[in-house]
Amino acid sequence: MINARKAAGLTQHELAARLAKPQSFVAKYEAGERRIDVVEFIAICREISVDSVGILKKLVKIV
């Protein structure tokens, strides 16, 4: 997710603004301090123009 955000050319602050969340929301899930639910995950993927299904497939391969 961090790489995808950076590839989209967004800072944590910019992504948070798009999501109408505080910057700490992005920082915490990127640091693994907070889990995100499916709805949040899809919203984040939309804002960084990433295929949510593709990311989930990559995660399944890692786990």
Side-chain angles (χ1 to χ4, degrees):
M1 298 288 289
I2 297 168
N3 292 338
R5 175 183 55 78
K6 288 181 179 181
L10 295 171
T11 64
Q12 287 183 349
H13 183 76
E14 292 166 333
L15 176 56
R18 288 184 178 196
L19 296 167
K21 301 276 188 183
Q23 179 272 332
S24 61
F25 169 82
V26 177
K28 286 181 181 182
Y29 80 72
E30 285 188 353
E33 295 174 18
R34 181 190 190 285
R35 292 180 184 222
I36 54 175
D37 64 31
V38 173
V39 174
E40 292 169 330
F41 174 74
I42 292 170
I44 293 163
C45 289
R46 284 184 183 153
E47 292 301 331
I48 59 177
S49 300
V50 171
D51 175 34
S52 56
V53 174
I55 288 184
L56 288 174
K57 284 181 180 180
K58 288 180 183 178
L59 288 172
V60 169
K61 288 180 183 179
I62 293 171
V63 177

